[in-house]
Amino acid sequence: MASVELRNVTKVYHEVTAVHSASATIEDKEFIVLVGPSGCGKSTILRMIAGLEDISSGQILIDNQVVNEVPPKDRDIAMVFQNYALYPHMTVYANLAFGLKLRKFPKQEIDQRVKEAASILGIEHLLERKPKALSGGQRQRVAVGRAIVRKPKVFLFDEPLSNLDAKLRVQMRTEISKLHSRLESTMIYVTHDQVEAMTMGDRIVVLRDGIIQQIDSPLNLYNRPVNKFVAGFIGSPAMNFLNGTLVAENGLKFKCAQLKLTIAEKHQKILAKYLNKEIVLGIRPENLVENIKSQRYQIVKGNVDVVEPMGNEIFLYLSFGENSVVARLNPNTKPVVNTEYSITFDMDKVHYFDPVTEEAIYC
């Protein structure tokens, strides 16, 4: 296996910069996920690593060797595409063996590798079928198997689960994670689904408009986002944001329309420079809880706009004048639409952001 390094990699299409000076190091045997909204440049980065796109400037290194001018077939990588890219006229066995035949592997070794990959993925019984006779999940396994037989230095996945239904997507997510553990290989995985990113990646690269925003572990991204974009992108439902002002009233308070929240004592010293200035408060839906009487929890009342039962929890949408939040509550709660309801802000779990730069204010 091998490490992959991006050094100030930029990609320009017809005067439009798709990737801005991206730098990152993917360690040997690491599973790293590139995540971000559509058009953020994540697939472009993957294709540049694969050699399917030329880079405009910078360097890409695989196993400490610069590969800018190395053809895709000589980079020792394997890529799994969103649309599976199987040959419809070939059997599963022939699809798995095709790349090895092109490289003139001995027939016996091809047979051994194909059967080994089929065994790993549980598709031994499908080897004589053609793609049209397979389900979406089975086709995805074949596409992954075609990468496995190559035994490449690096596996690249370009949104491989986006064509599957929700249940199968969860199942395949688990299968790919197991595969990484079994093969101990370097894997780079692209998705727009932050749940996939959080559950699969050793580390996550968050992109926006071709710029890397943060590279970190899932837990650090969740607890210590570097800016408002990362905070809002990671987590489902998304973090709530309220724009307000810090005022001095028996300590510091966050004032926003009819809301007035006392800043946690441990945050007050850092936030003092924002006194009488605007600031953005962020709080995750899971940190808006049922009524708790404690100094760190503050009860507020809002109007119930929407109640979404999710089975094991309820998403409750509350409004406070022009401001609104969503809370994740116990399924036994019974809020009624268009009535007043009280929830509690856990002020120890609140995040703060500069309203101009949108960078996090670490407290």
Side-chain angles (χ1 to χ4, degrees):
M1 300 306 149
S3 62
V4 178
E5 185 178 356
L6 307 180
R7 294 181 180 171
N8 300 312
V9 172
T10 295
K11 178 63 179 178
V12 180
Y13 292 104
H14 307 295
E15 299 183 359
V16 175
T17 305
V19 177
H20 298 255
S21 196
S23 294
T25 299
I26 298 97
E27 302 294 345
D28 183 30
K29 302 180 183 180
E30 186 174 24
F31 194 126
I32 199 159
V33 180
L34 308 182
V35 68
S38 296
C40 70
K42 54 190 184 295
S43 290
T44 301
I45 289 176
L46 201 72
R47 290 174 65 83
M48 287 191 290
I49 294 171
L52 302 177
E53 296 276 0
D54 294 329
I55 69 174
S56 302
S57 64
Q59 290 182 320
I60 295 176
L61 292 83
I62 298 177
D63 207 9
N64 297 316
Q65 300 295 316
V66 177
V67 296
N68 289 24
E69 306 300 328
V70 177
K73 65 183 180 65
D74 297 327
R75 295 193 182 194
D76 200 9
I77 56 93
M79 190 162 179
V80 179
F81 296 92
Q82 178 180 349
N83 62 356
Y84 317 137
L86 302 178
Y87 297 106
H89 62 288
M90 293 183 181
T91 64
V92 168
Y93 186 101
N95 266 284
L96 294 176
F98 185 72
L100 301 179
K101 286 182 178 178
L102 284 181
R103 289 166 176 79
K104 303 190 184 310
F105 276 75
K107 187 174 181 180
Q108 186 176 354
E109 184 174 355
I110 291 174
D111 187 65
Q112 179 187 339
R113 288 197 184 197
V114 167
K115 289 180 178 176
E116 181 184 0
S119 175
I120 289 171
L121 295 165
I123 56 173
E124 304 103 308
H125 61 296
L126 304 175
L127 291 176
E128 297 308 315
R129 294 191 194 177
K130 291 185 178 179
K132 66 180 180 181
L134 305 178
S135 68
Q138 290 168 338
R139 291 179 192 179
Q140 189 59 72
R141 281 185 169 86
V142 176
V144 173
R146 196 165 56 183
I148 291 174
V149 296
R150 293 264 313 281
K151 297 184 178 179
K153 289 181 178 178
V154 182
F155 286 87
L156 306 178
F157 293 86
D158 191 6
E159 304 209 37
L161 309 184
S162 59
N163 290 335
L164 304 180
D165 62 57
K167 183 178 179 180
L168 194 53
R169 202 158 55 234
V170 172
Q171 181 184 340
M172 284 302 299
R173 203 164 69 202
T174 305
E175 293 298 324
I176 292 173
S177 294
K178 286 180 181 176
L179 187 65
H180 175 251
S181 298
R182 181 167 180 172
L183 299 179
E184 294 187 329
S185 50
T186 305
M187 292 186 175
I188 306 173
Y189 188 101
V190 161
T191 181
H192 63 275
D193 185 339
Q194 53 92 14
V195 175
E196 272 183 34
M198 293 288 284
T199 54
M200 297 177 75
D202 297 324
R203 287 189 301 149
I204 300 172
V205 180
V206 182
L207 288 130
R208 180 190 189 188
D209 297 333
I211 300 171
I212 293 176
Q213 304 291 305
Q214 186 171 356
I215 305 175
D216 220 325
S217 68
L219 196 59
N220 281 345
L221 282 177
Y222 181 84
N223 290 322
R224 302 279 287 179
V226 297
N227 57 36
K228 186 179 173 184
F229 174 80
V230 174
F233 193 82
I234 298 297
S236 180
M239 181 182 286
N240 300 291
F241 297 108
L242 298 170
N243 294 297
T245 307
L246 284 188
V247 297
E249 286 184 22
N250 297 322
L252 281 181
K253 282 188 168 59
F254 174 82
K255 188 175 181 182
C256 169
Q258 62 259 55
L259 284 181
K260 192 179 287 185
L261 303 168
T262 301
I263 304 296
E265 186 174 343
K266 66 179 184 178
H267 297 160
Q268 294 210 13
K269 185 176 180 180
I270 298 294
L271 296 175
K273 63 181 179 181
Y274 285 88
L275 181 61
N276 299 321
K277 294 180 180 178
E278 291 184 1
I279 197 170
V280 179
L281 179 149
I283 187 165
R284 296 198 180 278
E286 47 271 37
N287 299 137
L288 293 166
V289 294
E290 297 300 316
N291 295 347
I292 299 176
K293 292 184 179 180
S294 168
Q295 189 171 1
R296 70 179 260 193
Y297 295 97
Q298 292 182 50
I299 298 173
V300 299
K301 293 181 178 180
N303 182 70
V304 178
D305 295 328
V306 178
V307 178
E308 290 183 348
M310 305 298 290
N312 65 329
E313 60 189 354
I314 286 176
F315 292 169
L316 176 65
Y317 293 80
L318 283 179
S319 60
F320 314 92
E322 295 180 357
N323 300 287
S324 61
V325 296
V326 56
R328 301 175 74 158
L329 302 181
N330 187 294
N332 297 321
T333 57
K334 304 295 181 184
V336 178
V337 174
N338 292 327
T339 62
E340 191 173 70
Y341 194 83
S342 296
I343 57 168
T344 310
F345 279 64
D346 184 347
M347 297 305 292
D348 276 9
K349 300 289 182 67
V350 166
H351 298 255
Y352 298 96
F353 304 91
D354 186 288
V356 178
T357 66
E358 297 193 345
E359 291 181 358
I361 304 165
Y362 290 132
C363 297

